[in-house]
Amino acid sequence: MSDSASNPLPPPPTSDLERRVLAAIRRGASMADIAELRPARISTPEDAIQALQDGNARFFSGQATRPEVDANQRRSQIMGQTPFAAVLACSDSRVPVEIVFDQGLGDLFVVRVAGNVVGDVGLGTLEYATEHLDVHLVVVMGHEGCGAVAAAMLPEEQVSREPENLRNLIARIQPCVRSLPPIRDKKARMREAVINNVRYQVAALREQPVIQAAEARGQIRVIGAYYEIGSGAVDFLIEEEDLRP
C-alpha cells in the first residue's frame, strides 16, 4: 500500500477560520498564536441565548452540524478556554448538553448534578466561570422525566430510606414540589414539577452575591430551560414571568 493511501491528506479548509489556522501553522505559529485566532463570536447575553436556541433548533430538526475542530485547533485550546455560556444541567445520561445545543469543544462550561440543584460545589464552579471565564449566560436546565425531581415527590418515609447524601440532594428539590397545584395528568404534573425546580434553582443562583453582581452589571443573564427528551427540543425560560417560582 502506498504512503498516500495509508496517510491520506487532510481535506482542504472550508472556512475562513480553518484557512487562517492552516496559514498560521505553515508560518510556524505557536499554539498560543493559533489560540488567538479563535473568533469571539458571542459578546452579549442575547447573542448567547440566540446561539443556544439556534443550536437546539438544528439538533431537534435533524440538521445538527456536530461542530468539531481539527487537531491543531484542538491542541491550541490547551492555552485557554473561552466558553460563551455556563450550563447547570442534570447528570442524566440522556441529556448530553453540548449535543443538545449543537455546540463544539470550548463553547460551553457545563456543571452536571442530579436534579440540576444549586449546591456549594456547583455554585463555586459557576462563580469561577463568571469571574474568570467571562461567560455571558448561565442556564439552569431541567429535563423530561427527571428522576431526582420524581424522588422529591415521594412520601417522606420512602425518601428516608435513601443514603444521607442523596437525601440531602433531594431536600434541595422538595420545597419547590410541595405546593404544586393538583394536576391529574401524571406527565403534565411531572413537567410542572421539573420546571418549577428549574425556577427555584434559578432564584437560588440569583441570590448569590457573585452571580447577582455579574447580572446587575450586564455581564450575564441567568435563565432556565426544559429539555424534552422525546422531541429533542429545549423550551427556554427567559422572561421574568417565566422564571418566577
Side-chain angles (χ1 to χ4, degrees):
M1 184 180 292
S2 67
D3 289 342
S4 60
S6 58
N7 297 290
L9 293 174
T14 59
S15 71
D16 178 64
L17 177 59
E18 289 175 340
R19 285 190 287 272
R20 288 189 290 135
V21 169
L22 185 57
I25 293 168
R26 285 173 173 166
R27 67 173 182 266
S30 67
M31 289 295 106
D33 294 331
I34 295 172
E36 291 299 316
L37 295 175
R38 181 179 175 82
R41 61 187 178 91
I42 307 295
S43 58
T44 69
E46 291 68 32
D47 289 343
I49 292 171
Q50 190 63 57
L52 294 185
Q53 289 176 327
D54 291 346
N56 179 245
R58 293 192 299 271
F59 171 70
F60 79 75
S61 65
Q63 304 298 316
T65 59
R66 296 289 187 271
E68 190 51 271
V69 294
D70 65 24
N72 290 295
Q73 288 173 265
R74 186 170 63 248
R75 291 170 190 144
S76 74
Q77 293 191 7
I78 296 172
M79 307 308 299
Q81 57 172 320
T82 55
F84 66 83
V87 182
L88 171 59
C90 184
S91 298
D92 194 295
S93 61
R94 301 165 295 176
V95 190
V97 178
E98 288 87 352
I99 293 175
V100 165
F101 290 117
D102 197 31
Q103 299 299 319
L105 300 177
D107 288 333
L108 301 180
F109 191 78
V110 181
V111 181
R112 297 183 66 173
V113 60
N116 42 274
V117 300
V118 176
D120 292 343
V121 174
L123 176 60
T125 305
L126 292 174
E127 288 178 343
Y128 171 77
T130 302
E131 293 290 284
H132 299 287
L133 299 181
D134 194 32
V135 298
H136 301 291
L137 185 69
V138 176
V139 184
V140 178
M141 186 169 76
H143 68 91
E144 178 181 11
C146 179
V149 174
M153 299 169 72
L154 293 173
E156 192 59 43
E157 59 268 21
Q158 287 185 247
V159 175
S160 66
R161 301 190 197 113
E162 299 293 350
E164 179 183 2
N165 292 315
L166 179 53
R167 292 200 307 273
N168 292 338
L169 184 147
I170 292 171
R172 293 179 181 269
I173 303 173
Q174 286 175 320
C176 66
V177 299
R178 283 178 178 147
S179 57
L180 283 177
I183 303 173
R184 294 184 64 181
D185 184 282
K186 291 182 179 180
K187 184 174 181 179
R189 180 175 172 80
M190 187 64 192
R191 176 187 171 91
E192 186 62 24
V194 170
I195 290 178
N196 208 44
N197 179 50
V198 167
R199 292 172 176 144
Y200 184 88
Q201 304 304 329
V202 166
L205 266 184
R206 296 174 95 180
E207 291 175 355
Q208 304 302 318
V210 171
I211 303 297
Q212 192 175 75
E215 194 165 31
R217 64 177 176 261
Q219 176 193 334
I220 65 169
R221 287 186 67 179
V222 182
I223 68 171
Y226 174 84
Y227 173 57
E228 191 172 73
I229 294 174
S231 70
V234 173
D235 290 334
F236 290 82
L237 309 176
I238 299 173
E239 304 303 326
E240 290 302 316
E241 182 63 28
D242 296 329
L243 291 169
R244 187 175 298 114

